[in-house]
Amino acid sequence: MLELDSIYKSFYRKRAVADISLKVKEGEIYGLLGPNGAGKSTLIRIINKIIQQDKGFISFKGQILSSKHLNEIGYLPEERGLYKSMTVEQQAIFLGRLRGLSKNDAKESLRYWLQKFEIEAWKDKRIEELSKGMAQKVQFICTVLHKPHLLILDEPFSGFDPINIELIRKELKQMRADGKSIILSTHNMKSVEEICDRGMIVHKGVKKLEGNITTLREDKKEGIFAIQFQGNMIAFANALWTGYEIVDKEVLADNRFLVHLKMRGENEFNDLLATLIPHVKIEKAEEILPSMEDVFIKEVNGPQNTEDEA
Amino acid sequence: MKHSWLIAMRELKERVKSRSFLLMALLGPILVLGLTYLLFALGGSEKKILNVLIMDPQEIMSGKIMPKEDPNIKYSFTNTYVDFEEFAKYEEYQKFDIGVELNEKVISNKHIKVMYRETPSERVKTRIQYHVERRFEEIFVKEFTQLSVQKFREIKQPMQFHFFNVYDPKNTDSKLSAWAGYFFGLIIILFIFLFGMTILRSVSKEKSNRIVEVILASVSARQLLVGKVIGIGISALFQFVLWSIIIGTGLFILRETVFIDLLDPSNFNPQQMTQEIANASMQEKLFAAREYNDFVELVYERIQFSSMLIFFTLFFIVAYIFYGSFFAAVGASMGSESDGQQYIIPIMSLLLLALYGGYYTVYYPEGPWANVFAFLPFTSPVAMMVKLGIGFSANDSWELFASLGILLGSALLMFYLAGKIYQNGILQFGHRLKAKHFIKWLKKS
């Protein structure tokens, strides 16, 4: 659907993004991750043709991205904004028409979304009469009104309560199922783990990591296992002896523990289980994958990141 | 262009629906009408009775203008010509304040020379013009046509009155029509300022509430700027049309109803007159009617509305683009909504310079600076309106088009430069606007 090939952009000799390439497939949610000032917004503005890249190519559906493709893209910027004195309907018609819809199609599409979100009563309300969360919802509707094939969402969950976050998440999953592509730029790593298929971590304008979200987490795993059991903690420790290293332990109740441990030597998960089964009653045992937050922090704060920035 | 048009229409709707637009459309014309009327009414407060000598060797006017036609003007007649020097120095003419010379070809050339010692007020000037011209109309009708006086007034050419200071006859001419031009120039500047500020506010508002980023994802910065300037420009023209309609209708209704032309013989009704004169307040009304007619005479017959309005519209549109570009550039460069107000001061100074240029042109239409003001794009809209008010001879009309051309070229250049600043500044937030930002954004491609 969308392909970026070695994109460079500087502002007054200060690098904003350098050599960034990525591919977003059909029916995929792609996470764009990075700390503040990493260059995410610049990249998003380049894809939206708000600013022009200095170098590199962007293709959309196999063609060089041009203004004619903008009607197939929906964009929700991080800093939300609507015309405060216009009503929800006027706003939607105006923004819809800018994206190539006819007045009637915009009205029809708005009706569909207002019904879906059960907010038909808002249609004639001016934006200034709505709460911040309500306005956010309207802005989301305005973003998807023209049924874009590519949706670019910058922090789409900020400002929403948990119920509405779930609502938006559900819609995004539905759009993915319908074959739409979504680029999600966010700091909310939980959302990334939950809904993103693939993603990229950008730091100081350069790509640090890219890939399938589960694979990214797998790659960063450190061989730590979590064992929850009932029994004697001393017996548990004795059974492990020198083949394993206890990283952390938590007392859940009398004779009930959760232990994080690392393998030593050639030991594997099955060996661990075989060692423990005769001594304690195992309730739960799993390998711990690092959270995306851990991956993100490690990647951004890692020692290898200190050398760049010209 | 379709996108720019959508943006323009949104702007237009927002402007036209706003209360300030409606308020301006109502209060503006009332203020203009009121001030203009006051100007004339206050001119009538002088107590002095002016002695006017009509030099009429052919005795065309004999018995036509009554010596006491007006309570403040006393007419006397002589059948000899008196030149400037005689009028200025000879003892027998010292008692006269004003001399009106009806030359022997006055019926065909329609030029009348008026000499004065002290500059008479515009009100006195229009009264004398009015009295003399009305009587001439009757003479013309009686001697040369089969028409009624009223019909003749519809088709006649106005008399040309030339006012001279007897002590300095080469210096001045009637400035009334120049002031009328100045008034149009003033309206241009007023509208440019009001609607320029509207552009600035609209741009900075879009920027501060961040809708601009959503819009820019559909249209280019230039399309957005074009749409905005067009939309607000149309609302400004619409406002002016409303002003013209309200002022025009106001004058027309007043003339046709409240201040019916009592001096027009065809409206003369002796019975009604007697009744009205018996009533003191009605007599005042009669006086007011006559005064008003002087004004209407000026408005309806001396200002060449057709060419004035055409060039007003042209100069207004081009000057609006020229100055509007400045306002848009400042609005787009602001770091926050209240930032950058200090950059409005240079624009305002230029607008004030334009007003000064017009004022200068009224007094020294041929002065060395008048030509500079007439062609400098910052000042030409007012200066040219003044010149247009005074009138161009056929040989000089190129000046009008040249000035308009220079203004248009400058406006396009300004629009191009403002577009660059707009494009580069519109997505910059949170800074404190400094002059270096303009330079930086101008340089950036």
Side-chain angles (χ1 to χ4, degrees):
Chain A
M1 175 76 81
L2 179 80
E3 194 171 341
L4 273 67
D5 182 16
S6 197
I7 299 293
Y8 286 81
K9 178 74 189 174
S10 298
F11 294 109
Y12 311 107
R13 281 186 243 154
K14 201 178 159 205
R15 184 181 76 190
V17 292
D19 195 21
I20 291 212
S21 301
L22 65 87
K23 262 187 195 172
V24 185
K25 298 173 199 156
E26 268 183 39
E28 179 177 68
I29 301 182
Y30 189 95
L32 198 56
L33 318 172
N36 296 328
K40 303 188 299 286
S41 293
T42 304
L43 207 55
I44 286 177
R45 284 179 182 170
I46 289 172
I47 300 171
N48 276 300
K49 289 198 82 63
I50 295 174
I51 52 177
Q52 190 69 35
Q53 69 270 31
D54 298 333
K55 255 176 29 177
F57 297 98
I58 306 176
S59 63
F60 182 78
K61 290 183 167 175
Q63 294 175 318
I64 295 282
L65 179 74
S66 68
S67 308
K68 69 174 182 187
H69 296 120
L70 291 176
N71 287 350
E72 297 181 55
I73 299 176
Y75 174 41
L76 181 75
E78 181 179 5
E79 298 277 0
R80 309 295 149 72
L82 293 166
Y83 290 109
K84 292 195 167 53
S85 57
M86 286 172 99
T87 66
V88 170
E89 186 177 55
Q90 288 168 341
Q91 194 104 217
I93 291 173
F94 175 63
L95 293 174
R97 291 186 73 189
L98 282 182
R99 291 286 194 181
L101 288 184
S102 69
K103 193 175 173 182
N104 284 338
D105 288 347
K107 271 186 175 177
E108 191 53 44
S109 186
L110 176 70
R111 194 176 312 136
Y112 166 81
W113 281 101
L114 291 180
Q115 269 171 9
K116 191 160 194 172
F117 286 174
E118 296 172 356
I119 49 173
E120 290 105 310
W122 297 6
K123 195 180 86 175
D124 297 319
K125 280 205 158 75
R126 288 200 309 275
I127 299 299
E128 58 199 353
E129 296 174 86
L130 303 179
S131 73
K132 198 180 165 204
M134 289 156 98
Q136 300 263 59
K137 230 169 173 175
V138 172
Q139 185 138 27
F140 179 80
I141 293 176
C142 291
T143 310
V144 296
L145 205 67
H146 58 294
K147 303 182 182 76
H149 291 109
L150 172 67
L151 199 57
I152 301 168
L153 308 172
D154 203 349
E155 293 294 351
F157 306 115
S158 73
F160 278 125
D161 58 46
I163 295 170
N164 281 313
I165 288 181
E166 198 42 50
L167 186 75
I168 300 291
R169 220 179 260 167
K170 207 177 112 197
E171 284 310 321
L172 296 184
K173 285 179 180 170
Q174 183 56 50
M175 287 178 190
R176 169 172 63 187
D178 294 341
K180 310 270 166 84
S181 307
I182 299 166
I183 295 178
L184 196 71
S185 167
T186 180
H187 293 125
N188 186 335
M189 295 300 153
K190 203 164 164 286
S191 309
V192 176
E193 285 170 21
E194 265 187 44
I195 63 170
C196 287
D197 304 300
R198 290 190 315 123
M200 174 204 282
I201 294 179
V202 198
H203 184 46
K204 293 181 178 169
V206 292
K207 178 159 58 173
K208 286 291 169 193
L209 269 184
E210 191 192 14
N212 185 294
I213 296 297
T214 319
T215 318
L216 290 180
R217 292 172 68 196
E218 291 265 359
D219 289 348
K220 293 287 172 190
K221 71 184 179 187
E222 295 174 326
I224 294 175
F225 294 85
I227 310 287
Q228 190 179 314
F229 66 91
Q230 274 187 36
N232 190 312
M233 188 64 204
I234 297 168
F236 179 86
N238 285 342
L240 293 177
W241 195 230
T242 56
Y244 306 90
E245 178 193 338
I246 293 177
V247 181
D248 193 18
K249 71 173 183 190
E250 194 181 338
V251 181
L252 299 175
D254 283 347
N255 293 331
R256 196 145 175 242
F257 304 90
L258 173 68
V259 178
H260 283 191
L261 49 82
K262 252 182 170 175
M263 310 281 180
R264 276 185 184 153
E266 298 295 308
N267 288 330
E268 287 194 5
F269 193 36
N270 284 357
D271 303 325
L272 174 68
L273 293 178
T275 312
L276 290 175
I277 284 167
H279 304 280
V280 292
K281 185 182 170 195
I282 295 175
E283 289 180 338
K284 206 163 88 182
E286 61 179 353
E287 184 170 12
I288 299 289
L289 280 182
S291 66
M292 266 319 280
E293 195 160 334
D294 292 333
V295 175
F296 180 84
I297 291 170
K298 269 185 195 151
E299 205 50 50
V300 170
N301 290 339
Q304 70 273 36
N305 293 324
T306 51
E307 95 294 333
D308 54 14
E309 190 64 28
Chain B
M1 199 56 211
K2 187 188 152 207
H3 284 153
S4 295
W5 188 245
L6 279 173
I7 290 160
M9 289 301 106
R10 196 206 73 80
E11 282 294 339
L12 181 62
K13 273 185 207 158
E14 188 167 312
R15 298 300 135 226
V16 173
K17 277 184 191 166
S18 74
R19 273 188 215 137
S20 58
F21 186 90
L22 279 175
L23 211 66
M24 192 178 157
L26 288 175
L27 290 184
I30 291 170
L31 202 72
V32 169
L33 274 175
L35 283 177
T36 324
Y37 182 75
L38 271 180
L39 200 76
F40 278 81
L42 289 178
S45 62
E46 57 203 339
K47 293 277 181 274
K48 191 181 159 192
I49 293 177
L50 289 166
N51 283 308
V52 177
L53 178 65
I54 304 222
M55 305 156 204
D56 183 12
Q58 294 183 300
E59 298 187 347
I60 314 169
M61 278 286 157
S62 161
K64 293 288 190 308
I65 297 183
M66 296 300 128
K68 294 215 181 247
E69 184 109 13
D70 187 293
N72 290 342
I73 301 173
K74 189 175 168 228
Y75 287 102
S76 306
F77 297 88
T78 173
N79 55 5
T80 52
Y81 279 129
V82 182
D83 65 21
F84 287 123
E85 208 174 327
E86 289 167 348
F87 194 79
K89 291 180 183 162
Y90 284 22
E91 211 187 318
E92 65 251 51
Y93 301 120
Q94 293 306 313
K95 62 178 178 179
F96 297 111
D97 302 291
I98 291 170
V100 179
E101 184 191 290
L102 307 176
N103 63 59
E104 55 194 7
K105 288 182 181 167
V106 68
I107 294 191
S108 58
N109 69 15
K110 298 192 174 62
H111 284 280
I112 294 173
K113 204 154 85 181
V114 181
M115 50 190 88
Y116 57 82
R117 290 179 204 284
E118 281 175 31
T119 314
S121 68
E122 292 302 334
R123 182 175 157 275
V124 166
K125 282 186 186 174
T126 46
R127 278 178 176 212
I128 293 170
Q129 290 178 24
Y130 180 76
H131 293 148
V132 173
E133 193 160 1
R134 280 285 151 119
R135 294 318 138 220
F136 260 110
E137 283 165 3
E138 289 160 21
I139 294 162
F140 280 129
V141 170
K142 199 172 159 196
E143 295 190 5
F144 303 107
T145 74
Q146 302 294 318
L147 301 168
S148 71
V149 174
Q150 199 149 25
K151 191 77 193 158
F152 175 75
R153 276 176 191 153
E154 289 170 16
I155 57 165
K156 65 152 190 177
Q157 287 179 314
M159 308 290 286
Q160 301 287 321
F161 287 82
H162 305 281
F163 287 80
F164 299 93
N165 185 329
V166 284
Y167 303 112
D168 182 15
K170 284 182 184 166
N171 192 19
T172 51
D173 200 347
S174 167
K175 292 191 174 57
L176 190 61
S177 46
W179 282 114
Y182 187 77
F183 171 75
F184 277 89
L186 187 76
I187 295 282
I188 292 184
I189 296 299
L190 178 73
F191 271 54
I192 283 177
F193 180 70
L194 291 176
F195 287 90
M197 284 302 287
T198 308
I199 295 181
L200 184 139
R201 272 198 303 273
S202 168
V203 170
S204 71
K205 214 163 149 189
E206 268 181 10
K207 188 174 168 168
S208 66
N209 78 13
R210 308 298 172 108
I211 180 81
V212 70
E213 191 152 358
V214 179
I215 308 283
L216 287 177
S218 306
V219 303
S220 71
R222 260 175 210 279
Q223 284 174 316
L224 177 57
L225 180 62
V226 168
K228 196 162 277 298
V229 170
I230 290 179
I232 295 173
I234 295 175
S235 75
L237 278 177
F238 185 46
Q239 177 78 238
F240 180 72
V241 170
L242 285 178
W243 279 40
S244 306
I245 292 172
I246 296 173
I247 294 176
T249 317
L251 287 175
F252 182 76
I253 291 173
L254 287 175
R255 186 167 76 157
E256 294 299 312
T257 56
V258 186
F259 302 113
I260 195 154
D261 189 354
L262 291 166
L263 292 174
D264 189 332
S266 60
N267 288 331
F268 188 74
N269 179 340
Q271 274 182 338
Q272 196 189 345
M273 279 291 262
T274 323
Q275 216 173 13
E276 281 171 359
I277 289 165
N279 183 333
S281 69
M282 284 306 280
Q283 201 169 17
E284 278 168 27
K285 200 171 160 189
L286 175 75
F287 182 70
R290 201 186 314 176
E291 264 191 304
Y292 195 80
N293 277 326
D294 294 343
F295 168 63
V296 170
E297 186 85 354
L298 163 80
V299 171
Y300 282 93
E301 290 173 28
R302 289 194 193 285
I303 300 175
Q304 293 183 316
F305 272 104
S306 53
S307 67
M308 209 70 184
L309 280 178
I310 290 169
F311 282 99
F312 170 86
T313 312
L314 289 174
F315 270 98
F316 170 71
I317 291 172
V318 184
Y320 163 79
I321 294 172
F322 181 72
Y323 275 105
S325 303
F326 281 93
F327 283 102
V330 173
S333 309
M334 289 176 162
S336 60
E337 212 170 336
S338 55
D339 184 38
Q341 301 281 356
Q342 69 272 28
Y343 292 98
I344 298 164
I345 296 169
I347 309 177
M348 277 183 69
S349 312
L350 289 173
L351 290 170
L352 289 175
L353 178 69
L355 288 181
Y356 173 74
Y359 184 78
Y360 178 92
T361 312
V362 169
Y363 282 97
Y364 310 102
E366 303 301 327
W369 283 98
N371 278 332
V372 177
F373 288 132
F375 292 107
L376 199 67
F378 302 102
T379 52
S380 63
V382 189
M384 269 301 166
M385 280 293 121
V386 173
K387 285 199 156 202
L388 198 66
I390 298 168
F392 281 97
S393 67
N395 288 339
D396 291 339
S397 57
W398 66 269
E399 285 182 17
L400 195 58
F401 294 100
S403 168
L404 193 60
I406 293 172
L407 184 60
L408 181 65
S410 314
L412 293 177
L413 179 70
M414 262 318 296
F415 193 76
Y416 170 75
L417 296 177
K420 276 186 115 176
I421 295 177
Y422 185 89
Q423 200 169 354
N424 293 316
I426 193 80
L427 287 174
Q428 306 292 329
F429 305 100
H431 55 272
R432 282 198 61 192
L433 184 59
K434 291 183 181 138
K436 67 172 186 190
H437 286 113
F438 292 112
I439 298 160
K440 194 162 96 173
W441 293 331
L442 261 180
K443 278 184 188 166
K444 207 176 152 217
S445 59

